[in-house]
Amino acid sequence: MIKMEEELLALDPANSLSRVDVAIARLRAFEPPEGYFLAFSGGKDSQTVYHLAVEAGVKFDAHFNVSLEPPELMKFIRLNYPDVKWEKHQGFNFYTKMERKGFPLRQARWCCEYMKEWGGAGRIVLTGVRWEESPRRRKRQLVDHLTKSRILPEPKVCVNPIIDWQLSDVWGYLRARNIRHCSLYDIGFKRLGCVLCPMATAAEKRLESLFWPKITNAWLSSFQRLYDRRVSEGNESVKRWSSAKAMLDWYI
């Protein structure tokens, strides 16, 4: 049975334990008999949760939901985390889906639903979500209960053991243990995930479009199909752009 959040936040009432000790205590307190489903992205936060789970001695199986990640990140996962299971939502193709649903926006990220959020249905899922990351994530809890949906066939429970960690805590943990990280961080990328993610800033998307032209061209082809379809249907919204390229440039 999952303990209430208040019980876990009270694990260290005297505030005498380190963040690592508290995170490990949380991991042990929540451990289900069948083990955790660890949502692994290859980024610094999910790496931290992965290695904390190893330190805690809890049972888990790690999963990487393949979407539009850069090749450098995927290579890093293959080389350094060979036990991670690679998965993809069956029958889903982002580029063809966009033609019908339209391009994703920060306020309407339908892509995450298909590419990320469906994983771990019916399981207790470990994530690297942290409050510091965004206003939206500040609304998350130590334990989140996700209900069944059209994409999620069974409800799931998300446990976020480093939710109160700062960025310095994450890097400090990895460096103290000499844990390798993806080289993209070393050349200036602050976040790793889908290329041209709607949650990225305009500056980040501009950099990504230049750094990964093949992926950007795949986006452009999808924008072209979307543009052509809206023109053929007489959709008035398309008139704000002169071409599919202009639509993609606006998105970036």
Side-chain angles (χ1 to χ4, degrees):
M1 181 177 178
I2 294 297
K3 295 184 179 181
M4 296 298 290
E5 178 186 354
E6 292 79 6
E7 292 181 63
L8 291 168
L9 290 175
L11 281 171
D12 183 27
N15 197 29
S16 60
L17 299 177
S18 70
R19 287 194 184 278
V20 171
D21 292 330
V22 173
I24 286 175
R26 290 169 176 170
L27 286 163
R28 290 172 177 167
F30 286 130
E31 183 183 9
E34 70 279 11
Y36 290 110
F37 178 107
L38 194 151
F40 190 80
S41 69
K44 63 188 182 306
D45 299 319
S46 67
Q47 277 188 273
T48 296
V49 172
Y50 178 102
H51 290 281
L52 281 168
V54 172
E55 279 194 55
V58 297
K59 183 180 178 182
F60 70 90
D61 44 278
H63 301 255
F64 171 55
N65 287 349
V66 184
S67 44
L68 307 179
E69 285 83 7
E72 294 88 345
L73 179 60
M74 293 193 283
K75 181 179 180 180
F76 170 77
I77 296 172
R78 286 195 182 96
L79 291 176
N80 296 279
Y81 296 91
D83 61 308
V84 171
K85 300 176 182 178
W86 290 48
E87 298 177 341
K88 191 172 184 178
H89 194 282
Q90 294 300 312
F92 174 77
N93 182 293
F94 170 78
Y95 297 115
T96 56
K97 192 79 169 179
M98 198 176 89
E99 178 185 346
R100 186 165 55 85
K101 291 187 71 70
F103 50 81
L105 293 169
R106 183 179 291 265
Q107 301 84 358
R109 292 179 295 116
W110 56 264
C111 45
C112 286
E113 185 179 25
Y114 287 92
M115 293 194 286
K116 298 296 181 184
E117 295 170 1
W118 63 274
R123 299 280 303 276
I124 297 180
V125 180
L126 286 180
T127 85
V129 166
R130 295 185 296 109
W131 283 328
E132 183 190 42
E133 293 178 288
S134 69
R136 180 173 179 174
R137 291 197 168 188
R138 279 196 287 273
K139 298 177 182 178
R140 298 285 294 270
Q141 305 295 319
L142 185 59
V143 180
D144 290 316
H145 296 263
L146 278 67
T147 58
K148 181 178 178 179
S149 68
R150 61 190 177 87
I151 277 297
L152 195 63
E154 298 293 336
K156 66 180 180 182
V157 175
C158 290
V159 175
N160 312 308
I162 62 169
I163 195 164
D164 51 356
W165 283 35
Q166 303 296 308
L167 179 62
S168 58
D169 297 318
V170 172
W171 283 119
Y173 176 85
L174 295 176
R175 288 166 181 156
R177 288 155 178 76
N178 294 314
I179 297 169
R180 293 184 62 188
H181 57 265
C182 181
S183 61
L184 291 173
Y185 285 120
D186 299 324
I187 58 175
F189 287 94
K190 304 299 182 185
R191 57 167 292 279
L192 302 184
C194 294
V195 175
L196 300 186
C197 170
M199 294 303 290
T201 65
E204 288 171 335
K205 288 201 284 284
R206 283 194 293 271
L207 177 61
E208 292 169 0
S209 68
L210 295 172
F211 209 82
W212 294 293
K214 288 185 178 180
I215 298 177
T216 303
N217 284 335
W219 272 84
L220 178 57
S221 296
S222 189
F223 267 95
Q224 186 67 61
R225 290 192 296 271
L226 173 64
Y227 186 87
D228 292 343
R229 177 172 180 154
R230 288 186 174 180
V231 168
S232 67
E233 294 174 345
N235 190 318
E236 294 292 316
S237 67
V238 79
K239 291 184 177 180
R240 66 185 297 183
W241 299 288
S242 60
S243 65
K245 178 63 166 57
M247 184 185 280
L248 172 61
D249 290 342
W250 178 89
Y251 171 81
I252 292 176

